[in-house]
Amino acid sequence: MPNYKTLAIIKMELHEKLMSKSFISMTIIMPVIMLGIMGMQSLIVLYQGDKGSHVEILTESDSLKAEFQNGFAELDFVKNATYRLGFDTVSRENLKGYIQNKKPELLSHKLNAIIFIPSKALEDKQMEYYSNTPGNITILEKLKDPINEVLIEQYFSTKNLSEKEIIFARKGVNFSHFKVSEKDEMQEQGLGNTIIALVLTFMIYMSLIFSGTMTMQSVQKEKSNKIVEVLLSSVSSRELMTGKIIGVTITSIAQMIIWILPVLALKSTSWFVLPGKMTIDISYGHLIYFLINFLLAVLIYQGLFATVGAIFDNHQDAQTAVMPIIMLLLIPLFIAMSMMRNPNNPLAVISSFVPFATLIVMPARFALVDMPVWQLGISILINIATLSAIFPLAGKIYSVGILRVGKKPTWNEVVRWLKYNY
Amino acid sequence: MHALEIRNLSKSFGSLKAVDDVSFEVHEGSIFGLIGRNGAGKTTTIRMMMNIYMPDSGEVFLRGNRIGPEIKNIVGYLPEERGLYPKMKVLETLLFFAEIKGKKSKDLTKKAKDYLERFDLADRINSKIEELSKGNQQKIQFIISIFHDPEIIMLDEPFSGLDPINTNLLKEIVLENKRQGKIIILSTHLMDFAEKMCDHLAMIDHGRIILHGALSDIKSKYSPKNVSLNYEGDISFLNNHAIIDNISDFGNNTGIRIKEAGQTQELLRLLVEHNIKVKSFVTNDISLQEIFVELAGKHPAEEMNHA
């Protein structure tokens, strides 16, 4: 139970962190940065850079050329002039010469590609694509389906079929996603949960990194400033470390609650109407579990970060030494991301029961997969066990390290500290 | 019963024996000096006395009771290396450090103002620590060590970096606390200060106590055959002279040890004969520094410079 000394330290930590301007700005700025990074990533991936592409479509017959001209006139990217399409006819024998003629334009990228659609394509759909950069799939991705549709239409037009049948033939396949769960009714599930899982995972990761680094720096500063000498003549190193970690934990939890308020709002009010594809299936139980798990995560990682801060008296050494802890956060983050494609992949399932990894992987799994509650219980037990295993060790290293100055200690020495009588 | 009794304290860090079987007593209402070179084991000893370090063996008694964590509430500590929270304001700083000593009341703000007034810092009460000069930060740190009205005051090199006026102010307050019956422990490598202020002392070298007791007893034990001399001229003729045992030159003051107690008159005659202008000639007087050199075999000031 924290005594008045620990409370005084907690109060000071809260005064310094929770009541500070930087808390307010971090709480607002961090999600903005996060969304910025995620948005930027998808923007870059989606950016095709194919605006103003010039493509020529060659057929062997005028009738086929006319079909393509008609079929393509209605396409969005033609109407808004993103693509400039030219149509021409050329026989198989003259193709080589034609391309030879166009070579300067192809090389200078005034013309990006030539697509040759022989009449035989109506039987085997085999076409030819000529370009200076045939590896560029953007143009083909865009034209593939329209070309196929024209071919299908052309093919069936001689087969005496109804419009309805042709429309059917033109269609691709499409799935609706239903989640089969213990609940009686089956719900249609969209991307909503995947996005929420991704966002929550990212929030845990970012929050742990930021608060951890802050704790590490503040411990390390107290050490290099020698404030710790005065502090320890008043409080024990255990009280000091406990106060610090509790202070940071309260700050982090407050921050996390502010962050998940929008999720709560989406869930509990009808202010925002989400499109069917984006519905969120998150219960209050999810959120409570999420916060409990986050609380344990903050405690565990604060312990690690504070310990590293106490070992070193200069910033650079501490920054280097903290890398393994960052990896301990980064690897589970990647595993959690891999679940966005296949929530049941074995790596994710196993790592959701591995100490440290479970803190980040399990909440993501919980949002994506229906899992029995006992598995969450086990995860929490694993975390509590981890916490009780590392805290005595971390406390010991902290108490030795915090007053130690001089030469940078080796890991061997740090292990030896565990045997010191402090 | 002694105010504080340190019994057979030992502490090792790995293979380094920092404090080795250290014992001494601190008397009520006196200033106790713990003196020794840097790295001799002073700070480690002090940390064990404040329950920051657990000794490997040995015990510390406060008025007959073994100390535990509760000693922290009645101790005021000024560490050698000073440090405060740079972003915290002066008043907040004083109140925070009082709070972790278990002191919390409305009067503290008034008390803080009084102390700041005394140290000529009243106008800085709402300044951030980082806005203060180094000397002023040091004054704040000193106030912290006495602000919660501790029974034991431990000062580690309290005067380093202070100007003469503030040094005097500090001395005054230390003596005031002594008169109030506080236990004051002064840890220093500056023999001069120790000699002027301490009533009792313990000398520590390589983790071991090499001397301890009342300053007056120590001096009278080591002073016979010793002359403290202040002069102008060249006394090199005394080197290797038949009646001289040892000469310790401290610049203005020179300590001369003669071989036989009766040879002081002979020494004075030699000085006059060689036209040395004698400014002071005190027999049976010895500085702490000389005693230290004799016991530890090395010049503390020299060690200091090389440290």
Side-chain angles (χ1 to χ4, degrees):
Chain A
M1 205 42 221
N3 59 14
Y4 65 90
K5 294 185 182 217
T6 313
L7 285 177
I9 304 273
I10 295 173
K11 234 172 66 190
M12 197 214 31
E13 282 295 317
L14 290 181
H15 181 78
E16 229 175 51
K17 306 237 159 70
L18 193 59
M19 304 297 167
S20 68
K21 280 182 214 137
S22 75
F23 174 77
I24 298 163
S25 57
M26 279 316 292
T27 307
I28 296 165
I29 288 172
M30 206 136 87
V32 173
I33 294 175
M34 197 172 82
L35 291 176
I37 292 173
M38 282 165 51
M40 183 103 82
Q41 188 199 7
S42 34
L43 260 183
I44 291 172
V45 171
L46 288 178
Y47 178 67
Q48 296 167 320
D50 58 345
K51 200 166 189 252
S53 293
H54 184 196
V55 181
E56 277 193 8
I57 294 173
L58 303 182
T59 52
E60 282 188 300
S61 70
D62 281 329
S63 61
L64 196 54
K65 180 182 118 181
E67 288 301 325
F68 276 107
Q69 262 174 317
N70 287 337
F72 278 34
E74 289 305 305
L75 293 173
D76 283 345
F77 58 87
V78 177
K79 273 203 276 189
N80 66 21
T82 309
Y83 272 54
R84 204 146 52 82
L85 300 180
F87 299 90
D88 211 341
T89 48
V90 66
S91 65
R92 166 64 80 185
E93 297 81 55
N94 296 335
L95 178 66
K96 231 174 173 175
Y98 185 92
I99 288 171
Q100 204 62 37
N101 271 340
K102 294 280 183 177
K103 206 170 172 180
E105 280 179 67
L106 280 170
L107 290 183
S108 65
H109 294 256
K110 272 182 197 140
L111 179 61
N112 299 83
I114 296 172
I115 297 173
F116 179 62
I117 305 172
S119 300
K120 219 173 144 259
L122 280 170
E123 292 160 33
D124 59 8
K125 292 194 178 177
Q126 195 63 46
M127 283 152 273
E128 286 158 31
Y129 181 74
Y130 296 90
S131 168
N132 181 229
T133 51
N136 178 351
I137 58 163
T138 318
I139 292 175
L140 275 181
E141 288 271 329
K142 234 175 208 152
L143 294 178
K144 208 168 67 183
D145 286 345
I147 291 175
N148 194 28
E149 278 176 27
V150 172
L151 289 178
I152 289 169
E153 207 146 321
Q154 199 56 20
Y155 180 83
F156 286 111
S157 66
T158 57
K159 297 284 188 287
N160 217 352
L161 294 175
S162 71
E163 177 112 349
K164 222 173 133 191
E165 284 163 308
I166 294 173
I167 288 174
F168 173 77
R170 279 167 64 164
K171 264 211 146 123
V173 291
N174 202 0
F175 292 99
S176 298
H177 301 246
F178 289 95
K179 182 171 178 174
V180 180
S181 63
E182 307 223 325
K183 288 180 204 157
D184 285 342
E185 49 184 309
M186 272 180 271
Q187 282 172 303
E188 188 167 357
Q189 195 191 17
L191 276 172
N193 269 31
T194 309
I195 291 172
I196 287 288
L198 184 69
V199 169
L200 291 185
T201 308
F202 237 81
M203 284 196 314
I204 301 179
Y205 170 77
M206 299 277 271
S207 173
L208 291 179
I209 289 270
F210 275 97
S211 61
T213 318
M214 247 158 57
T215 305
M216 184 181 83
Q217 280 173 0
S218 95
V219 168
Q220 196 252 315
K221 252 189 211 148
E222 274 174 5
K223 184 183 176 181
S224 55
N225 277 352
K226 312 286 176 193
I227 301 169
V228 71
E229 300 235 0
V230 190
L231 290 174
L232 290 183
S233 72
S234 309
V235 303
S236 70
S237 59
R238 178 184 293 265
E239 287 161 341
L240 179 58
M241 188 177 176
T242 311
K244 237 177 193 340
I245 289 175
I246 293 178
V248 177
T249 304
I250 293 174
T251 309
S252 295
I253 296 273
Q255 196 164 46
M256 190 52 85
I257 287 176
I258 294 174
W259 285 344
I260 58 176
L261 280 180
V263 179
L264 219 57
L266 282 180
K267 201 194 130 39
S268 61
T269 70
S270 49
W271 300 343
F272 315 96
V273 182
L274 290 170
K277 272 192 136 176
M278 303 295 280
T279 46
I280 295 171
D281 177 26
I282 297 272
S283 66
Y284 290 111
H286 275 100
L287 291 176
I288 290 167
Y289 164 73
F290 178 77
L291 283 177
I292 293 173
N293 178 76
F294 180 67
L295 168 73
L296 289 164
V298 178
L299 288 173
I300 288 174
Y301 279 98
Q302 292 304 316
L304 296 179
F305 276 103
T307 306
V308 171
I311 295 174
F312 301 97
D313 33 1
N314 86 56
H315 187 60
Q316 276 80 14
D317 291 344
Q319 283 297 0
T320 321
V322 84
M323 277 321 286
I325 299 176
I326 306 263
M327 293 314 287
L328 224 45
L329 283 164
L330 208 53
I331 294 168
L333 176 72
F334 291 150
I335 295 173
M337 306 266 263
S338 79
M339 264 189 308
M340 306 301 153
R341 284 192 83 87
N342 176 7
N344 283 319
N345 82 61
L347 187 62
V349 175
I350 293 167
S351 62
S352 67
F353 294 105
V354 172
F356 299 107
T358 176
L359 291 165
I360 292 176
V361 178
M362 194 54 109
R365 251 191 92 205
F366 186 39
L368 292 171
V369 192
D370 255 341
M371 2 186 288
V373 176
W374 63 264
Q375 292 202 355
L376 297 180
I378 287 191
S379 164
I380 289 178
L381 286 181
I382 289 172
N383 291 330
I384 292 172
T386 311
L387 193 65
S388 25
I390 63 167
F391 255 72
L393 300 181
K396 187 90 199 205
I397 294 174
Y398 177 89
S399 65
V400 179
I402 197 81
L403 281 171
R404 200 185 170 285
V405 289
K407 196 171 71 56
K408 178 181 157 193
T410 63
W411 288 112
N412 272 341
E413 282 175 88
V414 174
V415 171
R416 249 178 281 139
W417 292 357
L418 293 173
K419 295 184 203 136
Y420 282 13
N421 172 24
Y422 261 66
Chain B
M1 190 169 34
H2 298 295
L4 268 171
E5 193 177 339
I6 282 75
R7 232 185 261 165
N8 311 101
L9 281 188
S10 290
K11 178 86 189 161
S12 299
F13 299 105
S15 58
L16 175 79
K17 196 138 203 191
V19 171
D20 188 1
D21 198 25
V22 159
S23 301
F24 57 84
E25 310 82 38
V26 179
H27 296 255
E28 291 285 355
S30 73
I31 300 182
F32 184 87
L34 190 60
I35 57 181
R37 280 173 281 172
N38 288 345
K42 298 188 300 268
T43 305
T44 307
T45 306
I46 287 182
R47 283 178 182 170
M48 284 190 279
M49 289 165 72
M50 287 188 295
N51 210 248
I52 294 179
Y53 284 159
M54 297 302 290
D56 294 341
S57 60
E59 291 154 312
V60 179
F61 294 91
L62 172 68
R63 300 196 174 104
N65 299 313
R66 226 180 126 152
I67 63 150
E70 64 291 342
I71 195 174
K72 291 188 176 184
N73 281 349
I74 54 164
V75 133
Y77 178 44
L78 176 73
E80 178 179 3
E81 303 221 46
R82 316 287 148 79
L84 297 165
Y85 290 106
K87 303 272 176 214
M88 229 191 232
K89 289 177 179 164
V90 169
L91 181 64
E92 278 170 9
T93 304
L94 293 178
L95 295 180
F96 168 69
F97 281 103
E99 195 179 343
I100 54 175
K101 291 285 188 191
K103 295 266 157 139
K104 214 180 159 186
S105 77
K106 287 232 162 77
D107 318 338
L108 283 181
T109 308
K110 163 129 203 350
K111 198 173 163 193
K113 280 181 186 157
D114 291 345
Y115 267 116
L116 292 171
E117 190 85 43
R118 215 165 154 193
F119 278 88
D120 204 17
L121 285 168
D123 55 329
R124 310 309 297 269
I125 189 159
N126 284 317
S127 302
K128 283 186 182 165
I129 295 292
E130 62 185 357
E131 293 160 5
L132 302 182
S133 71
K134 232 177 151 152
N136 282 343
Q137 289 187 24
Q138 202 157 329
K139 288 197 261 179
I140 300 291
Q141 188 116 37
F142 178 73
I143 298 174
I144 289 171
S145 67
I146 53 170
F147 186 56
H148 58 287
D149 208 17
E151 286 177 50
I152 307 167
I153 303 172
M154 303 226 190
L155 307 170
D156 201 347
E157 305 293 357
F159 304 108
S160 73
L162 279 185
D163 62 49
I165 293 177
N166 285 315
T167 303
N168 270 337
L169 182 59
L170 225 77
K171 258 194 231 167
E172 208 177 282
I173 294 177
V174 170
L175 293 174
E176 200 178 289
N177 277 285
K178 176 188 166 180
R179 282 193 294 276
Q180 288 167 17
K182 304 284 170 66
I183 304 165
I184 297 163
I185 292 161
L186 189 73
S187 159
T188 183
H189 63 259
L190 299 173
M191 307 291 160
D192 247 19
F193 276 114
E195 194 166 350
K196 280 178 194 148
M197 293 188 72
C198 299
D199 311 294
H200 291 79
L201 55 86
M203 243 181 225
I204 186 164
D205 192 50
H206 290 102
R208 291 169 162 277
I209 296 289
I210 53 172
L211 176 72
H212 92 278
L215 182 68
S216 50
D217 292 349
I218 291 172
K219 279 191 129 181
S220 59
K221 183 177 166 200
Y222 285 86
S223 60
K225 299 192 277 183
N226 217 80
V227 173
S228 178
L229 172 71
N230 196 337
Y231 68 96
E232 265 173 43
D234 180 12
I235 57 164
S236 56
F237 67 92
L238 286 175
N239 292 339
N240 303 322
H241 192 280
I243 67 162
I244 302 296
D245 187 26
N246 186 33
I247 298 178
S248 317
D249 196 342
F250 303 111
N252 284 337
N253 217 48
T254 302
I256 299 175
R257 173 164 292 248
I258 46 184
K259 283 186 178 154
E260 300 292 334
Q263 289 168 332
T264 46
Q265 293 304 312
E266 173 73 3
L267 174 63
L268 185 58
R269 193 181 57 74
L270 280 170
L271 292 168
V272 175
E273 262 176 21
H274 284 81
N275 288 326
I276 303 295
K277 196 169 164 192
V278 176
K279 290 175 170 174
S280 79
F281 185 90
V282 186
T283 58
N284 293 349
D285 188 36
I286 190 166
S287 69
L288 212 45
Q289 175 115 350
E290 282 167 275
I291 299 173
F292 188 87
V293 171
E294 196 178 322
L295 290 172
K298 275 181 200 147
H299 208 287
E302 260 172 37
E303 277 287 313
M304 259 294 301
N305 294 337
H306 296 158

